[in-house]
Each structure stands twice: as structure tokens, then as C-alpha cells.
Amino acid sequence: MASLNVGNLGEYLREQRRSAQLSLRQLADAAGVSNPYLSQIERGLRKPSAEVLQQVAKALRISAETLYVRAGILDAERDRDEVETRAVVLADPTLTERQKQVLLQIYESFRKENGFAGAEDGQATPGGAPAPGAVDTPSAEPRPRVVDGSDTDPRRTAG
């Protein structure tokens, strides 16, 4: 993981805020953070969480991933599709936190099965091998088995 570069993040946030023609107070209100806290982030004095960065990105109508990379939370070379998929699931206001976590677990199990998964979450590495300290968690739903080319999923009925 890259080191936190909050100075660069703060400068970038200030530029984005000014180009959106928002005052510090307006952005703080829109993002749901305090004015002094946002000011400290812009001056490089505070290290915001990923959640705060997501709120600020939404208020500025920019990519949260861009802020994560600038803050050093994400490596710039990280799989863009995986990041975007996770962000969409986490940002969906119609899902409960539990539903979001279950969806992400299912997503990770499919990625693991296909040989791709993030080692930072204790999942498989891109080669498919378990990451050090990984715990194999069962998927939320049993997978159908294929026997003699026919689908034997017990949820399906002949008809």
C-alpha cells in the first residue's frame, strides 16, 4: 500500500473545490463533514478515512477512486474494475450494510474461483493461491453441480 500523501490530496481537493466554485463551508455541508475538519484535510494536517473521501468525492462529483489514490489508500495500478464494483456496491443506498457485505463476499468468491482476488482482504492472490492468513469462508449460496452435462441445482424443478 502506498504511503499517505495528504499534502498532495489537500492541494488536489482545494483545486477541485475551486473549479466547482464551492466555498469550503459549502463543500463541508454537502459532504457532511465539519468545516474545520475539511480545512485541515486541505492543508494536509489530517488523514481522512475512505468514507470521508467518498463523501467529499460525491459532493464534488468526482471519482472516489481518484481521491483514494491521491490519499495513498489505493495503489494506482490496482484493478480498476474491482475498485469500481466495490464502490458501486458500497454506495448503493437501497442496500443494508449486511447486504452490501454479503454481495462483496459473493463477488470475492467468484473472483477467487476465477483466479483473481485481493490479497489485502485475506482472499486469494491473482494466481489463485490463498493469501497468508486467509480464511476460507463458505459462499452464501451453494453452487449448482454439473453431472453428465445436466444442471442438478435442487432449486430447479423439471418441467
Side-chain angles (χ1 to χ4, degrees), residues 107-123:
Y107 174 67
E108 283 301 324
S109 73
F110 286 144
R111 286 181 55 84
K112 183 177 180 180
E113 182 178 309
N114 294 334
F116 301 95
E120 69 278 344
D121 292 329
Q123 300 294 326

PDB file of all heavy atoms in Angstrom, residues 107-123:
ATOM      1  N   TYR A 107     -19.025 -11.723  -4.502  1.00  0.00           N
ATOM      2  CA  TYR A 107     -18.169 -11.194  -5.562  1.00  0.00           C
ATOM      3  C   TYR A 107     -16.740 -11.715  -5.407  1.00  0.00           C
ATOM      4  O   TYR A 107     -16.134 -12.206  -6.359  1.00  0.00           O
ATOM      5  CB  TYR A 107     -18.209  -9.667  -5.524  1.00  0.00           C
ATOM      6  CG  TYR A 107     -17.258  -8.972  -6.471  1.00  0.00           C
ATOM      7  CD1 TYR A 107     -17.428  -9.060  -7.852  1.00  0.00           C
ATOM      8  CD2 TYR A 107     -16.199  -8.214  -5.986  1.00  0.00           C
ATOM      9  CE1 TYR A 107     -16.568  -8.414  -8.721  1.00  0.00           C
ATOM     10  CE2 TYR A 107     -15.335  -7.576  -6.843  1.00  0.00           C
ATOM     11  CZ  TYR A 107     -15.511  -7.681  -8.215  1.00  0.00           C
ATOM     12  OH  TYR A 107     -14.648  -7.037  -9.055  1.00  0.00           O
ATOM     13  N   GLU A 108     -16.218 -11.650  -4.183  1.00  0.00           N
ATOM     14  CA  GLU A 108     -14.858 -12.139  -3.929  1.00  0.00           C
ATOM     15  C   GLU A 108     -14.748 -13.641  -4.162  1.00  0.00           C
ATOM     16  O   GLU A 108     -13.735 -14.116  -4.666  1.00  0.00           O
ATOM     17  CB  GLU A 108     -14.406 -11.788  -2.505  1.00  0.00           C
ATOM     18  CG  GLU A 108     -14.005 -10.346  -2.332  1.00  0.00           C
ATOM     19  CD  GLU A 108     -12.864  -9.928  -3.240  1.00  0.00           C
ATOM     20  OE1 GLU A 108     -11.938 -10.728  -3.514  1.00  0.00           O
ATOM     21  OE2 GLU A 108     -12.894  -8.774  -3.691  1.00  0.00           O
ATOM     22  N   SER A 109     -15.781 -14.396  -3.798  1.00  0.00           N
ATOM     23  CA  SER A 109     -15.719 -15.848  -4.012  1.00  0.00           C
ATOM     24  C   SER A 109     -15.667 -16.179  -5.502  1.00  0.00           C
ATOM     25  O   SER A 109     -14.943 -17.087  -5.915  1.00  0.00           O
ATOM     26  CB  SER A 109     -16.891 -16.558  -3.331  1.00  0.00           C
ATOM     27  OG  SER A 109     -18.100 -16.336  -4.014  1.00  0.00           O
ATOM     28  N   PHE A 110     -16.411 -15.435  -6.317  1.00  0.00           N
ATOM     29  CA  PHE A 110     -16.352 -15.644  -7.766  1.00  0.00           C
ATOM     30  C   PHE A 110     -14.975 -15.261  -8.307  1.00  0.00           C
ATOM     31  O   PHE A 110     -14.420 -15.952  -9.159  1.00  0.00           O
ATOM     32  CB  PHE A 110     -17.442 -14.861  -8.496  1.00  0.00           C
ATOM     33  CG  PHE A 110     -18.824 -15.439  -8.356  1.00  0.00           C
ATOM     34  CD1 PHE A 110     -19.918 -14.612  -8.256  1.00  0.00           C
ATOM     35  CD2 PHE A 110     -19.029 -16.807  -8.325  1.00  0.00           C
ATOM     36  CE1 PHE A 110     -21.189 -15.139  -8.138  1.00  0.00           C
ATOM     37  CE2 PHE A 110     -20.297 -17.350  -8.210  1.00  0.00           C
ATOM     38  CZ  PHE A 110     -21.385 -16.503  -8.110  1.00  0.00           C
ATOM     39  N   ARG A 111     -14.434 -14.146  -7.838  1.00  0.00           N
ATOM     40  CA  ARG A 111     -13.101 -13.730  -8.284  1.00  0.00           C
ATOM     41  C   ARG A 111     -12.059 -14.767  -7.891  1.00  0.00           C
ATOM     42  O   ARG A 111     -11.175 -15.108  -8.673  1.00  0.00           O
ATOM     43  CB  ARG A 111     -12.728 -12.358  -7.714  1.00  0.00           C
ATOM     44  CG  ARG A 111     -13.485 -11.208  -8.391  1.00  0.00           C
ATOM     45  CD  ARG A 111     -13.091  -9.856  -7.834  1.00  0.00           C
ATOM     46  NE  ARG A 111     -11.666  -9.603  -7.893  1.00  0.00           N
ATOM     47  CZ  ARG A 111     -11.024  -9.135  -8.968  1.00  0.00           C
ATOM     48  NH1 ARG A 111     -11.684  -8.884 -10.077  1.00  0.00           N
ATOM     49  NH2 ARG A 111      -9.718  -8.930  -8.932  1.00  0.00           N
ATOM     50  N   LYS A 112     -12.188 -15.294  -6.688  1.00  0.00           N
ATOM     51  CA  LYS A 112     -11.255 -16.318  -6.200  1.00  0.00           C
ATOM     52  C   LYS A 112     -11.359 -17.572  -7.070  1.00  0.00           C
ATOM     53  O   LYS A 112     -10.348 -18.144  -7.463  1.00  0.00           O
ATOM     54  CB  LYS A 112     -11.564 -16.639  -4.744  1.00  0.00           C
ATOM     55  CG  LYS A 112     -10.622 -17.641  -4.120  1.00  0.00           C
ATOM     56  CD  LYS A 112     -10.970 -17.844  -2.658  1.00  0.00           C
ATOM     57  CE  LYS A 112     -10.038 -18.835  -2.016  1.00  0.00           C
ATOM     58  NZ  LYS A 112     -10.362 -19.034  -0.599  1.00  0.00           N
ATOM     59  N   GLU A 113     -12.584 -17.973  -7.362  1.00  0.00           N
ATOM     60  CA  GLU A 113     -12.808 -19.148  -8.200  1.00  0.00           C
ATOM     61  C   GLU A 113     -12.176 -18.979  -9.585  1.00  0.00           C
ATOM     62  O   GLU A 113     -11.673 -19.932 -10.170  1.00  0.00           O
ATOM     63  CB  GLU A 113     -14.316 -19.367  -8.332  1.00  0.00           C
ATOM     64  CG  GLU A 113     -14.711 -20.584  -9.151  1.00  0.00           C
ATOM     65  CD  GLU A 113     -16.214 -20.756  -9.186  1.00  0.00           C
ATOM     66  OE1 GLU A 113     -16.849 -20.742  -8.130  1.00  0.00           O
ATOM     67  OE2 GLU A 113     -16.734 -20.892 -10.308  1.00  0.00           O
ATOM     68  N   ASN A 114     -12.195 -17.754 -10.087  1.00  0.00           N
ATOM     69  CA  ASN A 114     -11.636 -17.470 -11.405  1.00  0.00           C
ATOM     70  C   ASN A 114     -10.156 -17.095 -11.367  1.00  0.00           C
ATOM     71  O   ASN A 114      -9.588 -16.725 -12.389  1.00  0.00           O
ATOM     72  CB  ASN A 114     -12.444 -16.360 -12.081  1.00  0.00           C
ATOM     73  CG  ASN A 114     -13.858 -16.803 -12.390  1.00  0.00           C
ATOM     74  OD1 ASN A 114     -14.128 -17.980 -12.565  1.00  0.00           O
ATOM     75  ND2 ASN A 114     -14.772 -15.857 -12.435  1.00  0.00           N
ATOM     76  N   GLY A 115      -9.560 -17.145 -10.188  1.00  0.00           N
ATOM     77  CA  GLY A 115      -8.129 -16.893 -10.072  1.00  0.00           C
ATOM     78  C   GLY A 115      -7.743 -15.456  -9.828  1.00  0.00           C
ATOM     79  O   GLY A 115      -6.582 -15.112  -9.938  1.00  0.00           O
ATOM     80  N   PHE A 116      -8.718 -14.595  -9.503  1.00  0.00           N
ATOM     81  CA  PHE A 116      -8.425 -13.189  -9.228  1.00  0.00           C
ATOM     82  C   PHE A 116      -9.073 -12.804  -7.920  1.00  0.00           C
ATOM     83  O   PHE A 116     -10.275 -12.971  -7.758  1.00  0.00           O
ATOM     84  CB  PHE A 116      -9.000 -12.268 -10.309  1.00  0.00           C
ATOM     85  CG  PHE A 116      -8.480 -12.556 -11.674  1.00  0.00           C
ATOM     86  CD1 PHE A 116      -9.184 -13.377 -12.531  1.00  0.00           C
ATOM     87  CD2 PHE A 116      -7.281 -12.020 -12.091  1.00  0.00           C
ATOM     88  CE1 PHE A 116      -8.709 -13.654 -13.790  1.00  0.00           C
ATOM     89  CE2 PHE A 116      -6.801 -12.290 -13.359  1.00  0.00           C
ATOM     90  CZ  PHE A 116      -7.514 -13.109 -14.211  1.00  0.00           C
ATOM     91  N   ALA A 117      -8.294 -12.244  -6.998  1.00  0.00           N
ATOM     92  CA  ALA A 117      -8.880 -11.701  -5.769  1.00  0.00           C
ATOM     93  C   ALA A 117      -7.828 -10.888  -5.061  1.00  0.00           C
ATOM     94  O   ALA A 117      -6.637 -11.081  -5.253  1.00  0.00           O
ATOM     95  CB  ALA A 117      -9.412 -12.791  -4.863  1.00  0.00           C
ATOM     96  N   GLY A 118      -8.293  -9.959  -4.210  1.00  0.00           N
ATOM     97  CA  GLY A 118      -7.382  -9.072  -3.489  1.00  0.00           C
ATOM     98  C   GLY A 118      -6.791  -9.732  -2.268  1.00  0.00           C
ATOM     99  O   GLY A 118      -7.498 -10.246  -1.426  1.00  0.00           O
ATOM    100  N   ALA A 119      -5.478  -9.753  -2.161  1.00  0.00           N
ATOM    101  CA  ALA A 119      -4.800 -10.356  -1.015  1.00  0.00           C
ATOM    102  C   ALA A 119      -4.970  -9.533   0.244  1.00  0.00           C
ATOM    103  O   ALA A 119      -4.819 -10.032   1.341  1.00  0.00           O
ATOM    104  CB  ALA A 119      -3.310 -10.518  -1.326  1.00  0.00           C
ATOM    105  N   GLU A 120      -5.325  -8.231   0.109  1.00  0.00           N
ATOM    106  CA  GLU A 120      -5.440  -7.377   1.291  1.00  0.00           C
ATOM    107  C   GLU A 120      -6.615  -7.755   2.176  1.00  0.00           C
ATOM    108  O   GLU A 120      -6.655  -7.431   3.343  1.00  0.00           O
ATOM    109  CB  GLU A 120      -5.540  -5.903   0.899  1.00  0.00           C
ATOM    110  CG  GLU A 120      -6.835  -5.498   0.208  1.00  0.00           C
ATOM    111  CD  GLU A 120      -6.849  -5.818  -1.275  1.00  0.00           C
ATOM    112  OE1 GLU A 120      -5.776  -6.076  -1.839  1.00  0.00           O
ATOM    113  OE2 GLU A 120      -7.934  -5.827  -1.878  1.00  0.00           O
ATOM    114  N   ASP A 121      -7.599  -8.487   1.627  1.00  0.00           N
ATOM    115  CA  ASP A 121      -8.750  -8.886   2.416  1.00  0.00           C
ATOM    116  C   ASP A 121      -8.650 -10.332   2.871  1.00  0.00           C
ATOM    117  O   ASP A 121      -9.630 -10.924   3.290  1.00  0.00           O
ATOM    118  CB  ASP A 121     -10.045  -8.717   1.601  1.00  0.00           C
ATOM    119  CG  ASP A 121     -10.350  -7.262   1.329  1.00  0.00           C
ATOM    120  OD1 ASP A 121      -9.989  -6.426   2.174  1.00  0.00           O
ATOM    121  OD2 ASP A 121     -10.939  -6.960   0.277  1.00  0.00           O
ATOM    122  N   GLY A 122      -7.453 -10.919   2.768  1.00  0.00           N
ATOM    123  CA  GLY A 122      -7.300 -12.303   3.152  1.00  0.00           C
ATOM    124  C   GLY A 122      -7.867 -13.245   2.106  1.00  0.00           C
ATOM    125  O   GLY A 122      -8.169 -14.382   2.393  1.00  0.00           O
ATOM    126  N   GLN A 123      -8.006 -12.783   0.897  1.00  0.00           N
ATOM    127  CA  GLN A 123      -8.530 -13.605  -0.182  1.00  0.00           C
ATOM    128  C   GLN A 123      -7.366 -14.137  -1.001  1.00  0.00           C
ATOM    129  O   GLN A 123      -6.208 -13.944  -0.674  1.00  0.00           O
ATOM    130  CB  GLN A 123      -9.476 -12.770  -1.067  1.00  0.00           C
ATOM    131  CG  GLN A 123     -10.664 -12.209  -0.331  1.00  0.00           C
ATOM    132  CD  GLN A 123     -11.609 -13.299   0.157  1.00  0.00           C
ATOM    133  OE1 GLN A 123     -11.777 -14.322  -0.481  1.00  0.00           O
ATOM    134  NE2 GLN A 123     -12.206 -13.090   1.300  1.00  0.00           N
TER     135      GLN A 123
END
